[in-house]
Structure formats: structure tokens, C-alpha cells
Amino acid sequence: MRHENLDIDGKKREIVEWAFDRFYEGGFHATAIDAAMAGSGISKRTIYKYFSSKEELIEAVLVLYGAFIVQELFDPVSSISDPKQQIVAFFDTGHGQDRRILTRGCLGLKAAQEYAGKHERIVALGRHAASRAEARFTELCGKAGLAQPEALGKQLNVIFQGALLLSHATGDTTAFASAKTVAAALLERAAAGGTKASG
């Protein structure tokens, strides 16, 4: 799995990309460094050459996750010229993306929950990663000329996070079909209510 938006390279990147899936599958506290690197052929000594602690590795994993959200979920629909249609298409599970993310829950929120009151930077990075979709929704609503794009971005992210949670709980992505319908209705209502004043 290669993610182009993480600003590291070489062995350090290899460590982060390997740990990404293991932390996603097993959780952060429950997955020790040895377990996170199992099967990689990367020694603990090599890991600590690049990362001073498990927490520092987790921080890098969360930065990767934030890039992953944009790359895997938004990039496949970025060729759609109409921003509103692009948002609706985001909720469509038929674009050939790595859709495992939709049944694994939000890694950013998992980190924020696991480290609440224990590690401020991990919590902040987790929340930031979880907000990447909201930021893109807000940007697209602005491009569409819709009034109150920040509020719309927040509402769309609530719809997305709800579908993500249900898909994780049930093991399938049918919740995204309902989320797509709700998102389309929200955008239609917003468009009917008027757009931002130009100029």
C-alpha cells in the first residue's frame, strides 16, 4: 500500500506503512511494537533508529491516515467537475477504491479515544485526521457556491462518520447507500436555499 502524501521516504516510510495496517486491525494500546512489525523483517533496533518511541510511530501513522482519507476516498471522484456531484459520488462505494477503510472505522477517532487524557499530541493528530473529510467537504461546498460551507461540511462529515461507524459495526458498506441519499438531499436543500453572494 503506497501513499504519496506522506513526506517521508525510504525505510522510515516502510515502517510507517507496515505499522498502519497492524494498528488499524489491533488497536494502538493492544498492539506492541513487535506485533506491529511482525512479518516485516524490520528489527526493533531499526524501528528505534527512526522513531524514539511507539507514540512517535503512532503520530506518523496518523499523518499517513489523514493522507489516506483524501487519497483513497476523494481522489477517485476528483475528476467530476460539479462539486456537489463529487460530494455525492464520494458516498458511492463503487469507485474501486481500497474500501476496507469503510468497514474498519475511523483510525483518527480510535486514536483520539484510546489516548484521551494520556497523550495530547496523538489525540490532536487523531482528531485532525478525522477532520480531513470535513475539510474537503467544506472546500467542495465553497466551490459549489453554497451558503455556509463550513456548516455543510460539518453536517456531511457527521453523515460520513455515521456511515463509517455503522459499516464497521455490521461489516458491510450498505450504510453508505443511505448516507449517499441523505447527503444528496442535504445538498439539494442547501442549493434551493440559495448560494453565497458573489463578488
Side-chain angles (χ1 to χ4, degrees):
M1 181 188 306
R2 187 76 178 165
H3 305 283
E4 301 303 330
N5 296 329
L6 186 63
D7 192 24
I8 58 173
D9 217 336
K11 181 60 71 174
K12 186 172 184 179
R13 185 178 186 119
E14 183 184 344
I15 292 167
V16 174
E17 292 190 347
W18 190 270
F20 176 87
D21 278 324
R22 277 75 201 167
F23 284 134
Y24 217 148
E25 291 162 5
F28 295 103
H29 287 308
T31 305
I33 287 286
D34 288 336
M37 290 293 111
S40 68
I42 301 170
S43 69
K44 188 180 283 189
R45 181 178 178 180
T46 300
I47 295 164
Y48 284 113
K49 177 182 174 183
Y50 294 98
F51 298 98
S52 63
S53 65
K54 176 183 173 182
E55 288 72 25
E56 189 177 327
L57 174 57
I58 289 170
E59 290 172 12
V61 165
L62 291 171
V63 173
L64 173 63
Y65 177 71
F68 178 69
I69 286 287
V70 174
Q71 181 176 316
E72 296 294 334
L73 299 182
F74 283 96
D75 285 3
V77 298
S78 62
S79 61
I80 299 172
S81 58
D82 184 327
K84 294 193 298 294
Q85 289 180 10
Q86 192 178 140
I87 291 170
V88 173
F90 166 86
F91 290 93
D92 191 340
T93 58
H95 287 284
Q97 304 98 319
D98 181 353
R99 305 308 290 188
R100 291 180 304 159
I101 191 174
L102 300 183
T103 56
R104 294 164 95 182
C106 177
L107 189 64
L109 291 182
K110 287 180 181 181
Q113 289 169 346
E114 282 198 44
Y115 282 92
K118 300 171 186 173
H119 197 291
E120 287 184 14
R121 180 162 169 77
I122 288 178
V123 171
L125 284 170
R127 289 175 178 169
H128 176 71
S131 73
R132 289 293 295 272
E134 180 180 324
R136 182 58 71 92
F137 287 140
T138 298
E139 177 188 344
L140 289 170
C141 288
K143 285 181 178 178
L146 298 172
Q148 299 183 312
E150 293 84 6
L152 280 173
K154 240 176 230 315
Q155 291 165 357
L156 288 163
N157 193 45
V158 168
I159 294 168
F160 168 58
Q161 291 293 346
L164 201 61
L165 182 61
L166 286 170
S167 296
H168 179 55
T170 61
D172 66 60
T173 60
T174 54
F176 275 84
S178 297
K180 181 180 178 181
T181 301
V182 175
L186 176 65
L187 292 170
E188 186 177 337
R189 187 179 68 184
T195 57
K196 292 184 294 185
S198 59

